[in-house]
Amino acid sequence: MNFLARLFLSAIAVLLTDYLLDGVEVDGFIVALIVAVVLAILNAIVKPVLIILTIPITIVTLGIFLLVINAVIILLADAVIPGFEVDGFWWALLFGIIMSIINYLFSGNDKKRKNNR
């Protein structure tokens, strides 16, 4: 159940990010939900492989290259999902940063509740 709630909140974060950025287009809530699911799958399967393959450059850039990997994952989702458009690498990078901030804000209450138990 917790996973479904996080997917729903991620879909809302996709819609909020679409509202904030001109270079991102999402056709509706169902597409945003599909984007959240596809991003979760890509982050679980593709992202660890990319991280392992790019360990040297990630170390040299002190971890900032992980933002590039995140943007690539978003561009992969853009290529797969009709109704989800990102205008380029820089918009994907900004989309990833804003999505991370929004998801962090959404998950803030959940972490506070776990500490109080």
Side-chain angles (χ1 to χ4, degrees), residues 22-112:
D22 291 333
V24 177
E25 294 293 325
V26 179
D27 286 344
F29 183 74
I30 299 298
V31 174
L33 195 57
I34 293 170
V35 169
V37 169
V38 169
L39 284 177
I41 292 169
L42 289 174
N43 282 332
I45 296 171
V46 177
K47 192 172 184 177
V49 174
L50 290 176
I51 288 172
I52 290 171
L53 292 175
T54 60
I55 285 175
I57 194 165
T58 302
I59 291 171
V60 169
T61 62
L62 302 174
I64 295 186
F65 192 73
L66 293 173
L67 293 172
V68 173
I69 292 173
N70 199 26
V72 168
I73 295 293
I74 292 166
L75 289 173
L76 283 173
D78 172 37
V80 172
I81 303 169
F84 175 60
E85 297 291 326
V86 180
D87 286 343
F89 173 78
W90 295 108
W91 287 112
L93 185 69
L94 196 55
F95 178 85
I97 291 169
I98 292 175
M99 276 283 297
S100 297
I101 292 169
I102 292 172
N103 280 329
Y104 173 75
L105 293 174
F106 282 162
S107 69
N109 291 333
D110 186 38
K111 291 178 184 172
K112 289 178 185 175

